[in-house]
Amino acid sequence: MSATTQVLVIGGGANAEHDVSVGSAAAVREALSASGHRVTGLTIRRDSEWETLAGERIGIAEAIQRMRDSDVVFPALHGESTEDGTVAGFLECVGVPYVGSGVRSGALAMDKWASKLIAEQLGVATARGVLIDRDSVYGDPAQLPLPLVVKPVASGSSYGAARVENNDALAAAIAEAKTIDSRVLIEEFVVGREIDVAVLRLASGEIRIPPPLEIGKGTEEMFDTALKYDAEPNFLLPAQVTPAVGADLRRAARAIYEALGCEGVARVDFFVRGTELVFNEINTMPGMTEHSQVPRMFAEDGVSFAELTAMLVESASARYTRTT
């Protein structure tokens, strides 16, 4: 791909992760510019309207034209109504190459219940859980040992998620999660090391998996929004695991990535208890700043952030060429 590829980076979104996405988009623009790409940007406002980087509101027709004037669109978007296949579907209709997973994989990955079921079918363990879908309950929360984790089925960055120590606090935690999603997942709290694995499909179609990363925290702690954003997270690289556990992590992460039909880069999160892996969730557009988990994992593997974003653009262009 030419170093002068025109890339339009989209940030923002009408969801709780708006600010996180704005940060990712700014970092991606800077990284792509550093690797010689011509970069422009648009922001999806909290009210779902579109605006330029200068803050000028534009209509959807102009936004689409700017996408079509670009060689590749990089949707650095996180959370519901964006990363969940919504924007991928929109870009499919617009007819432009875009970075990241498609409609089906984005939707399945964002749905924590669906991704658990897929992982289990692949032989990867998951935490015991119960699904609440509006007024229907699938399973019995009373059968789960305390403490519990309550979280929206389709959300990211741990928004709406809470650790529940006793049954008296369960109803309030469910109500809070329902402010984000009508479907809520209740899981047993897994005591274990939290380890992330990045999976990238290159332009050639090959899969690249850098060394895993461990979240530096107590095994009894929950990696919630406070630990993620209120202080500098403690990431341990590379995660100190045995060769056998490392191989199991790579194998499980790749299997889940491919079963979901992911493209671009995804972050697959696990708990590790001794030699046992427990799948937590998968993010098809993980945080994209130089200090985020995925870029740090690739940096450990000798790939700079600028090189990683350029690889993602190249992969998107190659995928579009193969399918048209």
Side-chain angles (χ1 to χ4, degrees):
M1 174 176 288
S2 168
T4 57
T5 299
Q6 180 78 40
V7 184
L8 186 146
V9 181
I10 305 176
N15 59 40
E17 296 186 75
H18 177 95
D19 291 340
V20 179
S21 173
V22 167
S24 286
V28 168
R29 291 196 306 271
E30 182 178 351
L32 286 172
S33 295
S35 60
H37 294 79
R38 290 180 289 119
V39 184
T40 59
L42 289 175
T43 300
I44 303 175
R45 293 164 45 90
R46 295 181 188 276
D47 60 4
S48 298
E49 297 295 322
W50 294 76
E51 69 179 23
T52 66
L53 297 180
E56 174 193 359
R57 290 201 194 191
I58 61 173
I60 187 64
E62 183 173 348
I64 289 172
Q65 188 57 55
R66 293 188 184 211
M67 294 173 201
R68 287 178 170 162
D69 289 340
S70 305
D71 297 312
V72 175
V73 173
F74 195 130
L77 298 162
H78 313 306
E80 65 274 16
S81 300
T82 58
E83 185 187 351
D84 57 2
T86 303
V87 169
F90 174 63
L91 293 171
E92 292 281 355
C93 293
V94 172
V96 295
Y98 61 90
V99 170
S101 291
V103 179
R104 178 174 52 195
S105 50
L108 287 171
M110 180 62 72
D111 189 310
K112 295 178 176 63
W113 181 256
S115 61
K116 278 169 64 75
L117 297 178
I118 290 170
E120 289 167 2
Q121 285 295 310
L122 296 171
V124 182
T126 70
R128 286 180 288 171
V130 170
L131 174 68
I132 298 177
D133 189 349
R134 297 177 175 83
D135 296 326
S136 300
V137 180
Y138 299 93
D140 182 4
Q143 298 299 313
L144 300 178
L146 293 168
L148 301 172
V149 174
V150 178
K151 53 191 175 184
V153 166
S155 184
S157 293
S158 297
Y159 287 109
R163 172 173 162 149
V164 174
E165 302 292 342
N166 54 69
N167 289 321
D168 292 338
L170 183 57
I174 293 171
E176 178 64 24
K178 281 190 172 182
T179 64
I180 294 178
D181 191 351
S182 62
R183 301 169 76 234
V184 174
L185 181 59
I186 305 172
E187 291 181 317
E188 63 174 324
F189 185 89
V190 178
V191 177
R193 302 165 64 192
E194 191 162 343
I195 296 182
D196 300 341
V197 181
V199 183
L200 169 67
R201 191 183 302 279
L202 300 170
S204 64
E206 296 178 81
I207 295 292
R208 181 164 181 171
I209 301 177
L213 172 150
E214 180 171 358
I215 307 296
K217 64 177 183 60
T219 56
E220 292 279 357
E221 285 186 287
M222 179 177 169
F223 193 42
D224 56 13
T225 52
L227 281 177
K228 288 177 180 176
Y229 303 121
D230 292 353
E232 184 68 24
N234 181 21
F235 298 142
L236 308 177
L237 266 165
Q240 296 302 300
V241 296
T242 66
V245 169
D248 287 344
L249 284 166
R250 290 190 296 272
R251 186 163 43 247
R254 177 171 183 159
I256 293 168
Y257 177 99
E258 293 188 323
L260 289 170
C262 295
E263 296 286 349
V265 72
R267 194 190 75 232
V268 192
D269 302 342
F270 297 92
F271 298 108
V272 177
R273 299 187 292 202
T275 60
E276 180 192 16
L277 309 185
V278 179
F279 168 70
N280 183 22
E281 63 182 41
I282 178 171
N283 291 269
T284 53
M285 183 53 72
M288 275 290 162
T289 72
E290 196 164 3
H291 304 294
S292 303
Q293 290 107 298
V294 165
R296 287 196 186 189
M297 284 185 264
F298 277 98
E300 185 71 17
D301 205 31
V303 179
S304 70
F305 186 41
E307 290 170 332
L308 174 60
T309 55
M311 290 162 70
L312 287 168
V313 168
E314 184 180 10
S315 178
S317 182
R319 182 176 83 240
Y320 187 80
T321 299
R322 287 195 299 268
T323 57
T324 55

